[in-house]
């Protein structure tokens, strides 16, 4: 690739409380901010960041959903991550429904039955106010096997025109006190009814929401999130029978320790999956309303690669809005349909997972993995993964750039155990396949702290990963997913 270019979804760093981007971060330079000193994104630090940083009102605040039911204890592996997802008919039945009902079938889900009432929502990004019928579902309390410094919700849903949904999380701290109901996302697959958005300025002085991540403000204090509930609010235009359908809802809690490096893993697999290759760089300057165009589209570009690996395809009608002169119009589509209008970028993690699940037969989650062995387990079962990493140019041989946060698609391992990745920060589709040194890769992906080029301590992702996989996985795929904590 040519020059020092922004390659990422503009991941922000909570340690700087400012926007950072690749290369500029490595130079110790804070770029001009078009969003007026907006505080950091999510930084994916778990327990790594000891820096303290310093609620959004819910349109459906009348539906309190104060359910005190606690789930049965579940045996959990000794991990630093706790995943809990509600997906089965029994899962949905165990929650508290107010105006929603469960639909059975091969893929059980939740829909609006009888709306609780009507609320007005004024879209902060379009300025348009409209009335919406709503209904809610509140999960049982989930006791975290890993009391967490961070929690990230994700969901899979169908939202036909005239519908949308909101996801909220309420945590209980390790000292027994509780958080407010935090909005973790307002989402629709399209952008004609509402503008999908995260919600800024949510904090109780002990934890805060950074775009898509709920984080304890001062993890060094020992405070943790011990349990949580999720609340789902479904919306539709009044007088219609349309409804969202939600098939998967859950969250990943994690407590990743401070680490500048991780132990070396032993290679255990040589296999490469054949995954489509797309470059974000060929879209530079296209549709600048979506985070200044393709140079910042690492997340949706990687998402589209894996969606198409699983057979997801867009119709000519869906792509008709894209300039016919542009190559790979599906990448433009992915950018538009993952764009978070508050974050002003395409790198909202749950929005990417939700986008993948809009394709028939697919589901997606956001989680953290603990090792390259975890990735080998997935690749052996035919499941590619998207990983988030940050590094200086000299830390990843052959990359040719540095970044404060970048998504790639891991598609396999060489006979020597090196990582084969589809890196969208490549000058062409043909150049996307890269081989990166195993030891370098596991360090830049799994660490939670690193030094930038100016010697400042900044954050690393701590093993963040998107996983997209079939709605009806094979027995081998289910076993691999379970091995990395995803059910």
């Amino acid at each position: 690739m040519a020059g020092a270019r922004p390659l990422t979804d503009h991941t922000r760093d909570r340690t700087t409380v400012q926007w950072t981007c690749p290369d500029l971060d490595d130079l110790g330079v804070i770029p001009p901010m078009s969003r007026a000193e907006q505080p950091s994104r999510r930084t994916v630090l778990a327990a790594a960041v000891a820096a303290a940083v310093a609620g959004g009102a819910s349109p459906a605040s009348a539906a309190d959903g104060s359910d005190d039911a606690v789930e049965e204890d579940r045996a959990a592996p000794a991990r630093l991550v706790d995943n809990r997802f509600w997906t089965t008919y029994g899962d949905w039945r165990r929650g508290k429904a107010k105006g929603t009902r469960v639909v059975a079938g091969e893929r059980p889900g939740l829909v609006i039955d009888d709306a609780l009432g009507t609320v007005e929502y004024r879209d902060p990004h379009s300025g348009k106010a409209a009335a919406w019928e709503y209904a809610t579902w509140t999960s049982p309390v989930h006791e975290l096997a890993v009391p967490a410094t961070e929690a990230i919700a994700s969901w899979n849903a169908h939202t036909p025109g005239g519908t949308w949904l909101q996801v909220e999380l309420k945590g209980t701290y390790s000292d027994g006190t509780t958080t407010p109901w935090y909005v973790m996302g307002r989402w629709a697959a399209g952008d004609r009814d509402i503008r999908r958005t995260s919600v800024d300025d949510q904090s109780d002085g002990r934890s805060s929401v950074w775009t898509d991540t709920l984080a304890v403000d001062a993890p060094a204090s020992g405070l943790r999130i011990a349990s949580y509930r999720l609340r789902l609010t479904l919306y539709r235009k009044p007088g219609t029978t349309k409804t969202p359908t939600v098939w998967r809802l859950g969250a990943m809690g994690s407590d990743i320790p401070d680490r500048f490096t991780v132990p070396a893993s032993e290679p255990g697999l040589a296999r490469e999956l054949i995954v489509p290759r797309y470059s974000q760089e060929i879209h530079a300057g296209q549709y600048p309303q979506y985070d200044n165009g393709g140079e910042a589209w690492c997340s949706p570009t990687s998402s589209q690669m894996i969606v198409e690996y699983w057979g997801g395809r867009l119709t000519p009608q869906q792509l008709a809005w894209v300039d016919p002169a542009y190559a790979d119009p599906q990448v433009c589509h992915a950018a538009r349909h993952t764009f978070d209008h508050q974050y002003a970028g395409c790198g909202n993690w749950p929005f990417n997972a939700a986008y993948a699940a809009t394709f028939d037969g697919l589901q997606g989650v956001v989680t953290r993995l603990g090792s390259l062995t975890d990735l080998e387990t997935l690749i052996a079962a035919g499941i590619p993964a998207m990983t988030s990493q940050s590094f200086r140019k000299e830390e990843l041989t052959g990359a040719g750039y540095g970044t404060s946060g970048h998504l790639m698609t891991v598609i396999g391992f060489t006979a020597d155990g090196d990582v084969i990745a589809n890196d969208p920060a490549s000058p062409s589709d043909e150049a996307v396949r890269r081989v990166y040194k195993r030891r370098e890769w596991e360090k830049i992906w799994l660490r939670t702290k690193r030094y930038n080029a100016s010697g400042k301590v900044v954050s690393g992702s701590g093993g963040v990963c998107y996983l997209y996989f079939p709605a009806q996985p094979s027995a081998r795929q289910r076993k691999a997913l379970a091995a990395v904590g995803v059910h």
Side-chain angles (χ1 to χ4, degrees), residues 446-482:
L446 294 171
R447 66 188 175 186
T448 57
K449 284 187 174 182
R450 65 186 183 93
Y451 293 98
N452 66 11
S454 64
K456 183 176 181 178
V457 176
V458 292
S459 69
S461 88
V464 165
C465 180
Y466 308 176
L467 295 179
Y468 306 159
F469 49 93
Q472 304 298 329
S474 68
R476 187 178 186 188
Q477 290 163 351
R478 284 196 302 272
K479 184 177 180 181
L481 290 163

Side-chain angles (χ1 to χ4, degrees), residues 34-71:
S34 62
R35 288 176 282 273
E37 295 189 341
Q38 196 166 357
S40 88
R41 180 187 176 354
R42 49 192 170 333
T43 71
V44 301
L45 285 193
V49 178
V53 291
S58 162
S61 58
D64 178 70
S66 54
D67 181 7
D68 295 325
V70 179
E71 293 185 313

Side-chain angles (χ1 to χ4, degrees), residues 302-373:
S302 295
S303 284
Q304 195 63 33
M305 293 187 213
I306 299 185
V307 163
E308 294 190 17
Y309 166 81
W310 290 116
R313 294 292 185 271
L314 293 160
T315 66
Q317 182 179 7
Q318 289 173 305
L319 296 173
W321 67 275
V322 181
D323 188 326
Y326 294 164
D328 302 336
Q330 60 270 47
V331 172
C332 301
H333 180 93
R336 175 178 173 178
H337 289 81
T338 56
F339 188 72
D340 175 345
H341 288 262
Q342 181 62 45
Y343 170 44
C346 302
N348 181 305
W349 291 335
F351 286 9
N352 275 263
Y355 168 74
T358 63
F359 290 82
D360 288 345
L362 278 186
Q363 52 186 327
V365 302
V366 179
T367 188
R368 277 189 166 96
L369 302 182
S371 67
L372 282 179
T373 302

Side-chain angles (χ1 to χ4, degrees), residues 53-414:
V53 291
S58 162
S61 58
D64 178 70
S66 54
D67 181 7
D68 295 325
V70 179
E71 293 185 313
E72 315 92 310
D73 289 337
R74 293 178 173 225
R79 301 180 67 90
L80 302 174
V81 175
D82 177 295
N83 290 293
R84 174 61 170 113
F85 294 99
W86 286 265
T87 61
T88 69
Y89 187 85
D91 283 339
W92 297 119
R93 292 279 294 177
R94 281 190 283 271
K96 178 175 283 187
K98 293 187 175 181
T100 56
R101 64 180 173 87
V102 186
V103 290
E106 191 174 62
R107 199 174 184 187
L110 198 74
V111 298
I112 297 174
D113 187 13
D114 293 316
L116 295 177
T118 303
V119 295
E120 182 178 276
Y121 174 63
R122 181 175 294 277
D123 192 309
H125 308 295
S126 69
K128 185 174 77 172
W132 298 92
E133 291 182 349
Y134 71 96
T136 69
W137 181 87
T138 305
S139 77
V141 174
H142 175 61
E143 301 284 353
L144 285 151
V146 180
T149 56
E150 292 191 343
I152 301 172
S154 45
W155 56 90
N156 296 172
H158 172 58
T159 53
T163 73
W164 57 285
L165 61 84
Q166 174 174 271
V167 174
E168 297 166 279
L169 185 152
K170 184 173 187 175
T172 298
Y173 293 118
S174 48
D175 64 7
T177 59
T178 60
T179 72
W181 278 108
Y182 285 127
V183 177
M184 304 304 292
R186 293 174 180 153
W187 183 85
D191 52 14
R192 298 187 183 278
D193 294 304
I194 68 159
R195 307 285 172 85
R196 78 186 68 80
T197 186
S198 53
V199 178
D200 284 346
D201 302 321
Q202 298 185 84
S203 179
D204 63 358
R206 310 181 79 197
S207 63
S208 305
V209 175
W210 304 98
T211 300
D212 49 21
T213 303
L214 169 60
V216 172
D217 291 343
S221 70
L223 186 68
R224 296 293 185 268
I225 298 168
S227 65
Y228 65 81
R229 286 177 287 157
L230 294 174
R231 182 166 67 193
L232 178 65
T233 307
L234 307 183
Y235 296 92
R236 69 182 176 195
K237 289 183 176 179
T240 72
T241 58
K242 291 184 176 181
T243 178
T245 303
V246 181
W247 299 295
R248 175 181 283 270
L249 175 68
M252 178 268 290
S254 61
D255 187 1
I256 310 298
D258 273 5
R259 58 193 190 195
F260 284 88
T261 190
V262 294
S265 63
E266 291 295 327
L269 175 75
R271 184 183 183 188
E272 180 174 357
L273 306 178
I274 305 304
V275 177
R277 302 172 188 173
Y278 293 129
S279 164
Q280 68 192 75
E281 290 295 296
I282 67 172
H283 299 279
Q286 297 175 5
Y287 299 108
Q289 65 268 39
Y290 304 125
D291 198 10
N292 296 314
E295 288 178 324
W297 290 356
C298 62
S299 195
T301 306
S302 295
S303 284
Q304 195 63 33
M305 293 187 213
I306 299 185
V307 163
E308 294 190 17
Y309 166 81
W310 290 116
R313 294 292 185 271
L314 293 160
T315 66
Q317 182 179 7
Q318 289 173 305
L319 296 173
W321 67 275
V322 181
D323 188 326
Y326 294 164
D328 302 336
Q330 60 270 47
V331 172
C332 301
H333 180 93
R336 175 178 173 178
H337 289 81
T338 56
F339 188 72
D340 175 345
H341 288 262
Q342 181 62 45
Y343 170 44
C346 302
N348 181 305
W349 291 335
F351 286 9
N352 275 263
Y355 168 74
T358 63
F359 290 82
D360 288 345
L362 278 186
Q363 52 186 327
V365 302
V366 179
T367 188
R368 277 189 166 96
L369 302 182
S371 67
L372 282 179
T373 302
D374 284 346
L375 280 178
E376 288 174 337
T377 297
L378 294 165
I379 295 295
I383 302 173
M386 286 172 59
T387 61
S388 176
Q389 45 276 311
S390 51
F391 51 91
R392 300 191 308 273
K393 180 178 179 179
E394 66 270 21
E395 290 185 297
L396 188 61
T397 303
Y401 60 88
T403 172
S404 59
H406 180 54
L407 276 295
M408 301 189 209
T409 298
V410 177
I411 65 169
F413 294 86
T414 68

